[in-house]
Amino acid sequence: MTSHAPLRTVEEQLADVLAAVRPLPAVRLPLTAATGATLREPVRAALDIPVFDNSAMDGFAVRFADVAHARPEDPAILRVVADLPAGTSDDPPLAPGEAARIMTGSPVPSDADAIVPFEDTAGGLADSLRSATVLRAPRAAGAFVRRAGDDLRADDVVLETGVVLGPLQIAAATAAGRTHAVVSARPRVGIVSTGSELAPAGTPLRRGQIPESNGVLLAGLVAAAGAEVVAQVVVDDEGEALRNAVAALLAAPVDAVVFSGGVSAGAFEVVRTELAAAMTFTRVAMQPGKPQGFGTLPTPTGIALLFGLPGNPVSAAVSFEVFVRPALLTMQGRRTVERARLTLPAGTSWRTPEGRRQYLPAVIDTSAPTWTVHPATAGGSGSHLAGGLGLARALAVVAADIAEVREGDPVLVHLLEGWDA
């Protein structure tokens, strides 16, 4: 990496990263243990949803012909011959002029073809065990009957390959009679924070030291991407500790190692010095995050991707978002690796770097009918503004050929986790 080399585009760098990604093995897991996992095979229904015809209302199961002309001045009076709570297996016969009291979710008798809610009877629930006086006819045969298979039929696809299993997806699969799913193994990731200036958070700092926060940052981002943090270590700039950490991670083995710091053009860039044979170090036309490193090393089970990210916290966060996250999601077979995106008007004006795409930590003001996007801090996208990261819920992405964003200009916004919090 030299200061005279042309800047690479974000797309060029990302293409190199994704070209090196290999899918992880698929595993079969209980749904109860699969939250956050990515489906590698579709989930198909084992049974119909609903399983059987059931009542959508508390009321009476009736023959529609018996009540089709019911009205307040000429009600239909039916004899109640059965009582059907939810969970019953009874299927009572209904002769003409007969009804069954039925609760929501209960199986509809085979002889019934409509439900009359209590609200459409004279006595309602209070007078419902002997007779039913129907004041208003159902709109048609089938009224308030949930038919078996209305939602899904057995063997229908409930969830497609590539879907992430969250609470709603797991509930749907469970309702369809499934207990297990075939999902991607979670990427195993090692995190290495480099820098002799780093000290454990909460310890007294001597002159020149700062709290080590990138490890915590990257561990959280790794977990949010569905991966597993295998180890999180801090090394100095001397080299031996980094070599030992890399050797241990490769033996673990891991699927990726994410380094923060040590990748720029300074005199003590330990990642660039120690891993020059395995990684390519370059400058990317983005701000923050211009210095980047990427490469691979063999492990006992395959290869590990090596990501060299800048050490400044905002740079590390943005670089992870742009390069590492897509790689981890691709390993898992996600249907999409891109964030949800909006185009919003800028709520204020700010400067952008010449010739580089800007990724600005941002907030979205939703207090007015027209949402607007603002920088998360007054310092803009300065790579050292670690405190401002706590305010960011999105990234405002500004093209390299735009020199200034003016209030009201349309801005592309990438939504991050918790953007609406």
Coordinates of all heavy atoms in Angstrom, one line a residue, residues 248-334:
A248 N -3.1 -19.4 17.3 CA -4.1 -20.0 18.2 C -5.5 -20.0 17.5 O -6.3 -21.0 17.6 CB -4.2 -19.3 19.5
L249 N -5.8 -18.9 16.9 CA -7.1 -18.8 16.2 C -7.3 -19.7 15.0 O -8.3 -20.3 14.8 CB -7.4 -17.3 15.8 CG -7.6 -16.3 16.9 CD1 -7.6 -14.9 16.4 CD2 -8.9 -16.6 17.6
L250 N -6.2 -19.8 14.2 CA -6.3 -20.7 13.1 C -6.4 -22.2 13.5 O -7.0 -23.0 12.9 CB -5.0 -20.5 12.2 CG -4.8 -19.2 11.6 CD1 -3.5 -19.1 10.8 CD2 -6.0 -18.9 10.6
A251 N -5.8 -22.5 14.7 CA -5.9 -23.9 15.2 C -7.2 -24.2 15.8 O -7.6 -25.4 15.9 CB -4.8 -24.1 16.2
A252 N -8.0 -23.2 16.1 CA -9.2 -23.4 16.9 C -10.2 -24.3 16.2 O -10.8 -25.1 16.9 CB -9.9 -22.0 17.2
P253 N -10.6 -24.3 14.9 CA -10.2 -23.2 14.0 C -11.3 -22.2 13.9 O -12.4 -22.4 14.4 CB -10.1 -23.9 12.7 CG -11.2 -25.0 12.8 CD -11.2 -25.4 14.2
V254 N -11.0 -21.0 13.2 CA -12.0 -20.0 13.0 C -12.3 -19.9 11.5 O -11.5 -20.4 10.7 CB -11.6 -18.6 13.6 CG1 -11.5 -18.7 15.1 CG2 -10.3 -18.2 12.9
D255 N -13.4 -19.2 11.2 CA -13.8 -19.0 9.8 C -13.3 -17.6 9.4 O -13.2 -17.3 8.2 CB -15.3 -19.1 9.6 CG -15.8 -20.5 10.0 OD1 -15.3 -21.5 9.3 OD2 -16.6 -20.6 10.9
A256 N -13.1 -16.7 10.4 CA -12.6 -15.3 10.1 C -11.9 -14.8 11.3 O -12.2 -15.1 12.4 CB -13.8 -14.4 9.7
V257 N -10.9 -13.9 11.0 CA -10.3 -13.1 12.0 C -10.4 -11.6 11.6 O -10.2 -11.3 10.5 CB -8.8 -13.5 12.1 CG1 -8.1 -12.7 13.3 CG2 -8.6 -15.0 12.3
V258 N -10.9 -10.9 12.6 CA -11.1 -9.4 12.4 C -10.1 -8.7 13.2 O -10.1 -8.8 14.5 CB -12.5 -9.0 12.7 CG1 -12.7 -7.5 12.4 CG2 -13.5 -9.8 12.0
F259 N -9.1 -8.0 12.6 CA -8.1 -7.1 13.3 C -8.6 -5.7 13.3 O -9.1 -5.2 12.3 CB -6.8 -7.2 12.6 CG -6.2 -8.6 12.4 CD1 -6.4 -9.3 11.3 CD2 -5.5 -9.1 13.4 CE1 -5.9 -10.6 11.1 CE2 -4.9 -10.4 13.3 CZ -5.1 -11.1 12.1
S260 N -8.4 -5.0 14.4 CA -8.6 -3.6 14.4 C -7.3 -2.9 14.7 O -6.6 -3.3 15.6 CB -9.6 -3.1 15.4 OG -9.2 -3.4 16.7
G261 N -6.9 -1.9 13.8 CA -5.6 -1.3 14.0 C -4.5 -2.0 13.3 O -4.6 -3.2 12.9
G262 N -3.4 -1.3 13.1 CA -2.2 -1.9 12.5 C -2.2 -2.1 11.0 O -1.4 -2.9 10.5
V263 N -3.1 -1.4 10.3 CA -3.2 -1.6 8.8 C -2.8 -0.4 8.0 O -2.9 -0.4 6.8 CB -4.6 -2.1 8.5 CG1 -4.9 -3.4 9.2 CG2 -5.7 -1.0 8.8
S264 N -2.5 0.7 8.6 CA -2.3 1.9 7.9 C -0.8 2.1 7.4 O -0.1 1.1 7.3 CB -2.7 3.1 8.7 OG -2.8 4.3 7.9
A265 N -0.3 3.3 7.3 CA 1.0 3.5 6.7 C 2.0 4.0 7.7 O 3.1 4.5 7.4 CB 0.9 4.5 5.6
G266 N 1.7 3.9 9.0 CA 2.6 4.4 10.1 C 3.8 3.4 10.3 O 3.9 2.4 9.6
A267 N 4.6 3.8 11.3 CA 5.8 3.0 11.6 C 5.6 1.8 12.4 O 6.4 0.9 12.5 CB 6.8 4.0 12.3
F268 N 4.4 1.7 13.1 CA 4.2 0.5 14.0 C 2.9 -0.2 13.6 O 2.1 -0.5 14.5 CB 4.1 1.0 15.4 CG 5.4 1.7 15.9 CD1 5.5 3.1 15.9 CD2 6.5 1.0 16.3 CE1 6.6 3.8 16.3 CE2 7.7 1.6 16.7 CZ 7.7 3.0 16.7
E269 N 2.7 -0.5 12.4 CA 1.5 -1.1 11.9 C 1.7 -2.6 11.9 O 2.1 -3.3 10.9 CB 1.2 -0.6 10.5 CG 1.1 0.9 10.3 CD -0.1 1.5 11.2 OE1 -1.1 0.8 11.4 OE2 0.1 2.6 11.6
V270 N 1.4 -3.3 13.1 CA 1.8 -4.6 13.3 C 1.1 -5.6 12.4 O 1.7 -6.6 12.0 CB 1.6 -5.0 14.8 CG1 0.1 -4.9 15.2 CG2 2.2 -6.3 15.2
V271 N -0.2 -5.4 12.1 CA -0.9 -6.3 11.2 C -0.2 -6.3 9.8 O 0.0 -7.4 9.2 CB -2.4 -6.0 11.1 CG1 -3.1 -7.0 10.1 CG2 -3.0 -6.1 12.5
R272 N 0.0 -5.1 9.3 CA 0.6 -5.0 8.0 C 2.0 -5.6 7.9 O 2.4 -6.3 7.0 CB 0.6 -3.5 7.6 CG 1.2 -3.3 6.2 CD 0.8 -1.9 5.7 NE 1.3 -0.9 6.6 CZ 2.5 -0.3 6.6 NH1 3.4 -0.7 5.7 NH2 2.8 0.6 7.4
T273 N 2.7 -5.4 9.0 CA 4.1 -6.0 9.1 C 4.1 -7.5 9.2 O 4.9 -8.1 8.4 CB 4.9 -5.3 10.3 OG1 4.9 -3.9 10.1 CG2 6.3 -5.9 10.4
E274 N 3.3 -8.0 10.0 CA 3.4 -9.4 10.3 C 2.6 -10.3 9.3 O 3.0 -11.5 9.2 CB 2.8 -9.7 11.7 CG 3.6 -9.1 12.9 CD 5.1 -9.7 12.9 OE1 5.2 -10.8 12.6 OE2 6.0 -8.9 13.4
L275 N 1.6 -9.8 8.7 CA 0.8 -10.6 7.8 C 0.9 -10.1 6.3 O 0.0 -10.4 5.5 CB -0.7 -10.5 8.3 CG -0.9 -11.2 9.6 CD1 -2.3 -10.9 10.1 CD2 -0.6 -12.7 9.5
A276 N 2.0 -9.5 6.0 CA 2.2 -9.0 4.6 C 2.1 -10.1 3.6 O 1.7 -9.9 2.4 CB 3.5 -8.3 4.5
A277 N 2.5 -11.3 3.9 CA 2.5 -12.4 3.0 C 1.1 -13.0 2.8 O 0.8 -13.6 1.7 CB 3.4 -13.5 3.4
A278 N 0.2 -12.8 3.7 CA -1.1 -13.4 3.7 C -2.2 -12.4 3.3 O -3.3 -12.8 2.8 CB -1.5 -14.0 5.0
M279 N -2.0 -11.1 3.5 CA -3.0 -10.1 3.3 C -2.5 -9.0 2.3 O -1.3 -8.7 2.1 CB -3.4 -9.4 4.6 CG -3.9 -10.3 5.7 SD -4.2 -9.5 7.2 CE -5.7 -8.5 6.8
T280 N -3.5 -8.5 1.6 CA -3.3 -7.3 0.7 C -3.8 -6.1 1.4 O -4.9 -6.0 1.8 CB -4.0 -7.5 -0.7 OG1 -3.5 -8.7 -1.3 CG2 -3.8 -6.3 -1.6
F281 N -3.0 -5.1 1.5 CA -3.3 -3.8 2.1 C -3.5 -2.7 1.1 O -2.7 -2.6 0.2 CB -2.3 -3.4 3.2 CG -2.1 -4.5 4.3 CD1 -1.2 -5.5 4.2 CD2 -3.0 -4.4 5.4 CE1 -1.2 -6.5 5.1 CE2 -2.9 -5.3 6.4 CZ -2.0 -6.4 6.3
T282 N -4.6 -2.0 1.2 CA -4.9 -1.1 0.1 C -5.6 0.1 0.7 O -5.9 0.2 1.9 CB -5.8 -1.8 -0.9 OG1 -5.9 -0.9 -2.1 CG2 -7.2 -2.1 -0.4
R283 N -5.9 1.1 -0.2 CA -6.7 2.3 0.2 C -8.0 2.3 -0.6 O -8.0 2.1 -1.8 CB -5.9 3.5 0.0 CG -4.6 3.6 0.7 CD -3.9 4.9 0.5 NE -3.8 5.2 -0.9 CZ -3.7 6.5 -1.4 NH1 -3.8 7.5 -0.6 NH2 -3.6 6.6 -2.7
V284 N -9.1 2.4 0.1 CA -10.4 2.4 -0.5 C -11.0 3.8 -0.5 O -10.9 4.5 0.5 CB -11.3 1.4 0.2 CG1 -12.7 1.3 -0.4 CG2 -10.7 0.0 0.2
A285 N -11.7 4.1 -1.6 CA -12.3 5.4 -1.7 C -13.6 5.6 -0.9 O -14.7 5.7 -1.4 CB -12.6 5.7 -3.2
M286 N -13.4 5.6 0.4 CA -14.5 5.7 1.4 C -14.0 6.5 2.6 O -12.7 6.6 2.9 CB -15.0 4.4 1.8 CG -13.9 3.5 2.5 SD -14.5 1.8 2.9 CE -15.7 2.0 4.2
Q287 N -14.9 7.1 3.3 CA -14.5 7.9 4.5 C -15.7 7.8 5.5 O -16.8 8.0 5.2 CB -14.3 9.3 4.1 CG -13.7 10.2 5.2 CD -14.8 10.9 6.1 OE1 -15.9 11.1 5.7 NE2 -14.4 11.3 7.3
P288 N -15.3 7.2 6.7 CA -14.0 6.8 7.2 C -13.8 5.3 6.6 O -14.6 4.7 6.0 CB -14.2 6.8 8.7 CG -15.6 6.5 8.9 CD -16.3 7.2 7.8
G289 N -12.5 4.8 6.9 CA -12.2 3.5 6.5 C -11.3 3.3 5.3 O -11.3 2.3 4.7
K290 N -10.6 4.4 5.0 CA -9.7 4.3 3.7 C -8.7 3.1 3.8 O -8.6 2.4 2.8 CB -9.1 5.6 3.5 CG -8.2 5.6 2.2 CD -7.8 7.0 1.8 CE -6.8 7.6 2.8 NZ -6.3 8.9 2.3
P291 N -7.9 2.9 4.9 CA -7.0 1.8 4.8 C -7.7 0.5 5.2 O -8.4 0.4 6.1 CB -6.0 2.2 6.0 CG -6.7 3.1 6.9 CD -7.7 3.8 6.0
Q292 N -7.5 -0.5 4.3 CA -8.1 -1.8 4.5 C -7.1 -2.9 4.2 O -6.2 -2.7 3.4 CB -9.3 -2.0 3.5 CG -10.5 -1.0 3.8 CD -11.2 -1.4 5.1 OE1 -11.3 -2.6 5.4 NE2 -11.7 -0.4 5.7
G293 N -7.3 -4.0 4.9 CA -6.5 -5.2 4.6 C -7.4 -6.4 4.5 O -8.4 -6.5 5.2
F294 N -7.1 -7.3 3.6 CA -7.9 -8.5 3.4 C -7.0 -9.6 2.9 O -6.1 -9.4 2.1 CB -9.0 -8.3 2.4 CG -9.8 -9.6 2.2 CD1 -10.6 -10.0 3.3 CD2 -9.7 -10.3 1.1 CE1 -11.3 -11.2 3.1 CE2 -10.5 -11.4 0.9 CZ -11.3 -11.9 1.9
G295 N -7.2 -10.8 3.4 CA -6.5 -12.0 2.9 C -7.1 -13.3 3.5 O -8.2 -13.3 4.1
T296 N -6.4 -14.4 3.3 CA -6.8 -15.7 3.8 C -5.6 -16.4 4.3 O -4.5 -16.2 3.9 CB -7.5 -16.5 2.7 OG1 -6.6 -16.8 1.7 CG2 -8.7 -15.8 2.2
L297 N -5.9 -17.4 5.2 CA -4.9 -18.3 5.7 C -5.5 -19.7 5.9 O -6.7 -19.7 6.2 CB -4.2 -17.9 7.0 CG -3.1 -16.8 6.9 CD1 -2.7 -16.4 8.3 CD2 -1.9 -17.4 6.2
P298 N -4.8 -20.8 5.7 CA -5.4 -22.1 5.8 C -5.6 -22.4 7.3 O -4.9 -22.0 8.2 CB -4.4 -23.0 5.2 CG -3.1 -22.3 5.3 CD -3.4 -20.8 5.2
T299 N -6.6 -23.2 7.6 CA -6.9 -23.8 8.9 C -7.0 -25.3 8.7 O -7.1 -25.8 7.6 CB -8.2 -23.2 9.4 OG1 -9.3 -23.8 8.7 CG2 -8.3 -21.7 9.3
P300 N -7.1 -26.0 9.8 CA -7.3 -27.5 9.7 C -8.5 -27.9 9.0 O -8.6 -29.1 8.5 CB -7.3 -28.0 11.2 CG -6.6 -26.9 11.9 CD -6.9 -25.6 11.2
T301 N -9.5 -27.1 8.8 CA -10.8 -27.4 8.2 C -11.1 -26.7 6.9 O -12.1 -26.9 6.3 CB -12.0 -27.3 9.2 OG1 -12.0 -25.9 9.6 CG2 -11.8 -28.2 10.4
G302 N -10.2 -25.7 6.5 CA -10.5 -24.9 5.4 C -9.7 -23.7 5.3 O -8.4 -23.8 5.4
I303 N -10.3 -22.5 5.2 CA -9.6 -21.3 5.2 C -10.2 -20.3 6.2 O -11.4 -20.4 6.5 CB -9.5 -20.6 3.8 CG1 -10.9 -20.2 3.3 CG2 -8.8 -21.5 2.8 CD1 -10.9 -19.3 2.1
A304 N -9.5 -19.4 6.7 CA -10.0 -18.3 7.5 C -9.8 -17.0 6.7 O -8.7 -16.7 6.2 CB -9.2 -18.2 8.8
L305 N -10.9 -16.2 6.6 CA -10.8 -14.9 6.1 C -10.1 -13.9 7.1 O -10.5 -13.9 8.3 CB -12.2 -14.3 5.7 CG -13.0 -15.2 4.8 CD1 -14.3 -14.5 4.4 CD2 -12.3 -15.6 3.5
L306 N -9.2 -13.1 6.6 CA -8.5 -12.1 7.5 C -9.0 -10.7 7.1 O -8.8 -10.3 5.9 CB -7.0 -12.3 7.3 CG -6.4 -13.7 7.4 CD1 -4.9 -13.6 7.2 CD2 -6.8 -14.3 8.8
F307 N -9.5 -10.0 8.0 CA -10.0 -8.6 7.7 C -9.1 -7.6 8.6 O -9.1 -7.7 9.8 CB -11.4 -8.4 8.1 CG -12.4 -9.2 7.3 CD1 -12.8 -10.5 7.7 CD2 -12.9 -8.7 6.1 CE1 -13.7 -11.2 6.9 CE2 -13.8 -9.4 5.3 CZ -14.2 -10.7 5.7
G308 N -8.4 -6.7 7.9 CA -7.7 -5.7 8.6 C -8.4 -4.4 8.6 O -8.5 -3.8 7.5
L309 N -9.0 -4.0 9.7 CA -9.8 -2.8 9.8 C -9.0 -1.7 10.5 O -8.1 -1.9 11.3 CB -11.0 -3.0 10.6 CG -11.9 -4.2 10.2 CD1 -13.2 -4.2 11.0 CD2 -12.1 -4.3 8.7
P310 N -9.2 -0.4 10.1 CA -8.6 0.7 10.8 C -8.9 0.7 12.3 O -9.9 0.1 12.7 CB -9.1 1.9 10.2 CG -9.7 1.5 8.9 CD -10.1 0.1 9.1
G311 N -8.0 1.3 13.1 CA -8.2 1.2 14.6 C -9.1 2.3 15.1 O -9.6 2.1 16.2
N312 N -9.3 3.4 14.4 CA -10.3 4.3 15.0 C -11.7 3.7 15.0 O -12.1 3.1 14.1 CB -10.3 5.6 14.1 CG -9.1 6.5 14.4 OD1 -8.7 6.7 15.6 ND2 -8.4 6.9 13.4
P313 N -12.4 4.0 16.1 CA -13.7 3.2 16.3 C -14.7 3.4 15.2 O -15.3 2.5 14.8 CB -14.2 3.8 17.6 CG -12.9 4.2 18.4 CD -12.0 4.8 17.3
V314 N -14.9 4.6 14.7 CA -15.9 4.8 13.7 C -15.5 4.1 12.4 O -16.2 3.5 11.7 CB -16.2 6.3 13.4 CG1 -17.2 6.5 12.3 CG2 -16.7 7.0 14.7
S315 N -14.2 4.2 12.1 CA -13.6 3.5 10.9 C -13.8 2.0 11.0 O -14.2 1.4 10.1 CB -12.1 3.8 10.8 OG -11.9 5.2 10.5
A316 N -13.6 1.5 12.2 CA -13.7 0.0 12.4 C -15.2 -0.4 12.3 O -15.5 -1.4 11.6 CB -13.2 -0.3 13.8
A317 N -16.1 0.4 12.8 CA -17.5 0.1 12.7 C -18.0 0.2 11.3 O -18.7 -0.7 10.8 CB -18.3 1.1 13.6
V318 N -17.6 1.2 10.6 CA -18.1 1.4 9.2 C -17.4 0.3 8.3 O -18.1 -0.3 7.5 CB -17.7 2.8 8.6 CG1 -17.9 2.8 7.1 CG2 -18.6 3.8 9.3
S319 N -16.2 0.0 8.5 CA -15.5 -1.0 7.7 C -16.1 -2.4 7.9 O -16.3 -3.2 7.0 CB -14.0 -1.1 8.1 OG -13.4 0.1 7.8
F320 N -16.5 -2.7 9.2 CA -17.2 -4.0 9.4 C -18.5 -4.0 8.7 O -18.8 -5.0 8.0 CB -17.4 -4.1 10.9 CG -18.0 -5.4 11.3 CD1 -17.2 -6.5 11.8 CD2 -19.4 -5.7 11.2 CE1 -17.8 -7.7 12.1 CE2 -20.0 -6.9 11.5 CZ -19.2 -7.9 12.0
E321 N -19.2 -2.9 8.7 CA -20.5 -2.9 8.1 C -20.4 -3.1 6.6 O -21.2 -3.8 6.0 CB -21.2 -1.5 8.4 CG -22.5 -1.3 7.7 CD -23.6 -2.1 8.3 OE1 -23.5 -2.5 9.5 OE2 -24.6 -2.3 7.6
V322 N -19.4 -2.5 6.0 CA -19.3 -2.5 4.5 C -18.6 -3.8 4.0 O -19.0 -4.3 2.9 CB -18.4 -1.3 4.0 CG1 -18.2 -1.3 2.5 CG2 -19.2 0.0 4.4
F323 N -17.7 -4.4 4.7 CA -17.0 -5.6 4.2 C -17.2 -6.8 5.0 O -17.4 -7.9 4.4 CB -15.5 -5.2 4.1 CG -15.2 -4.0 3.3 CD1 -14.6 -2.9 3.8 CD2 -15.5 -4.1 1.9 CE1 -14.3 -1.8 3.0 CE2 -15.2 -3.0 1.1 CZ -14.6 -1.8 1.6
V324 N -17.1 -6.8 6.3 CA -17.1 -8.0 7.1 C -18.5 -8.6 7.2 O -18.7 -9.8 7.0 CB -16.5 -7.7 8.6 CG1 -16.5 -9.1 9.3 CG2 -15.2 -7.1 8.5
R325 N -19.5 -7.7 7.5 CA -20.9 -8.2 7.7 C -21.4 -8.9 6.4 O -21.9 -10.0 6.5 CB -21.8 -7.0 8.0 CG -23.2 -7.5 8.2 CD -24.1 -6.3 8.7 NE -25.5 -6.6 8.8 CZ -26.4 -6.7 7.9 NH1 -26.1 -6.3 6.6 NH2 -27.6 -7.0 8.1
P326 N -21.2 -8.3 5.2 CA -21.6 -9.1 4.0 C -21.0 -10.5 3.9 O -21.6 -11.4 3.4 CB -21.2 -8.2 2.9 CG -21.2 -6.8 3.5 CD -20.7 -7.0 4.9
A327 N -19.7 -10.5 4.3 CA -19.0 -11.8 4.2 C -19.6 -12.8 5.1 O -19.8 -14.0 4.8 CB -17.5 -11.6 4.4
L328 N -19.8 -12.4 6.4 CA -20.4 -13.4 7.4 C -21.8 -13.8 7.0 O -22.2 -15.0 7.1 CB -20.4 -12.7 8.7 CG -19.1 -12.3 9.3 CD1 -19.3 -11.7 10.7 CD2 -18.2 -13.6 9.5
L329 N -22.6 -12.9 6.4 CA -23.9 -13.3 6.0 C -23.9 -14.2 4.8 O -24.7 -15.2 4.7 CB -24.8 -12.0 5.6 CG -25.0 -11.0 6.8 CD1 -25.9 -9.9 6.3 CD2 -25.5 -11.7 8.0
T330 N -23.0 -14.0 3.8 CA -22.8 -14.8 2.7 C -22.4 -16.2 3.1 O -22.9 -17.2 2.5 CB -21.8 -14.2 1.7 OG1 -22.3 -12.9 1.3 CG2 -21.7 -15.1 0.5
M331 N -21.5 -16.3 4.1 CA -21.2 -17.7 4.6 C -22.4 -18.5 5.0 O -22.4 -19.7 4.9 CB -20.2 -17.5 5.8 CG -18.8 -17.1 5.5 SD -17.9 -17.1 7.1 CE -16.4 -16.2 6.6
Q332 N -23.4 -17.8 5.6 CA -24.6 -18.4 6.1 C -25.7 -18.6 5.1 O -26.7 -19.2 5.4 CB -25.1 -17.6 7.3 CG -24.1 -17.4 8.4 CD -24.6 -16.4 9.4 OE1 -25.5 -16.6 10.2 NE2 -23.9 -15.2 9.4
G333 N -25.5 -18.1 3.9 CA -26.5 -18.3 2.8 C -27.6 -17.4 3.0 O -28.8 -17.7 2.5
R334 N -27.4 -16.2 3.5 CA -28.5 -15.2 3.6 C -29.1 -14.9 2.3 O -28.3 -14.7 1.3 CB -28.1 -14.0 4.4 CG -27.8 -14.2 5.8 CD -29.0 -14.2 6.7 NE -28.7 -14.4 8.1 CZ -28.5 -13.3 8.9 NH1 -28.7 -12.1 8.5 NH2 -28.2 -13.6 10.2

